[in-house]
Structure formats: structure tokens, C-alpha cells
Amino acid sequence: MKRKSIFLTLIILTSILLNVSILSAQEKNKFDSELFSITGPKGWKMEADRNSWMPVKYINNINNSAVFKETINVSFANPEESKDEFINGLKKQVDNFIVIKQGNKKVKNKNTEWIVYTYTYKNFKIKGKVYFFGNKDKPGLLVGYTSNISSYGRFLEEFEKTVDSTVLY
């Protein structure tokens, strides 16, 4: 009888610990795959599809009445495409695409390049920032943030924390 009680107690404790770690990962908005992991802003909705070219997207749920919601997209770049070719592709897809700034940043010992840009989508003036993560034998990873131009700065810090959480495997 004692053995049953100890065994049952161990099962219950293990179950509780597993549930706590799962809830903790969900609360932190963490996405893990065999290629990378990333943690999105708390309170933002995470949409994930491991089999997609865009495996994870975070959508701002803080201002539910907004017509254009801020998003953080994580996608795989075409390994044959340079950063400049990627930018030229964007220029063909949207109206008034302009690169405002560009630079470099080290994220978890990985060199990245980034651009800040604006464009027009329907009647919306959009501002965004995208980081280009490169890796020799795996597809490049893009981590981008888009927002209505008027609210861009409001969530930029959350985006930068998300970028800083990115780990390539």
C-alpha cells in the first residue's frame, strides 16, 4: 500500500510539474523548432505552423479595436536570395516602399543585418523593421515587425526583446 501511495504521489507531482512547464512556455509565448526558438511579447497572440515558410507569427491583442494590428512575423528567406534582392521583391509587391535606415546587430553571437522601412498598403501607412539572420547550411531567418506608422514606436521595444530572444540551432 505504501508503494502505491509513493508511486501515485510521484505521478501526481510529475503531472503538476509538466503542466506548470507547459503553461510557463505558453505564458512566455515561446516557439521552439529544430531550427530556431523565439519568444514573443506577453499578451500577443501566437499563431504557429511548423510546416510553413512562416512558422510563427505574433499578433498584438492589446488594442483589439485597431483595424491594422501590429505583427511580428518569423519566416524563412529564400537561400538563393540576397538581402538586396529581398528588398527589391518587396518594392514590387507594395506601394511606396522606402528603406529609411539600415544597420547591423549581434544577436546571441550571430551577426544580423536590419532595415527600417515604410510603405503604403491600401489606405494604411505602414512602418516596419526586419532582421536578417544568416546561417551557412540552413535557410536564412527573417524576423520582422510591421505596424501602422503612428503606433510603430509604441511596440518597438517588445519587438527588439523578441529579436534578442532568437536562437538559431
Side-chain angles (χ1 to χ4, degrees), residues 49-56 74-77 141-142:
D49 180 356
R50 293 179 186 281
N51 299 317
S52 172
W53 64 274
M54 187 184 299
V56 66
V74 181
S75 59
F76 293 111
L141 194 67
L142 304 174

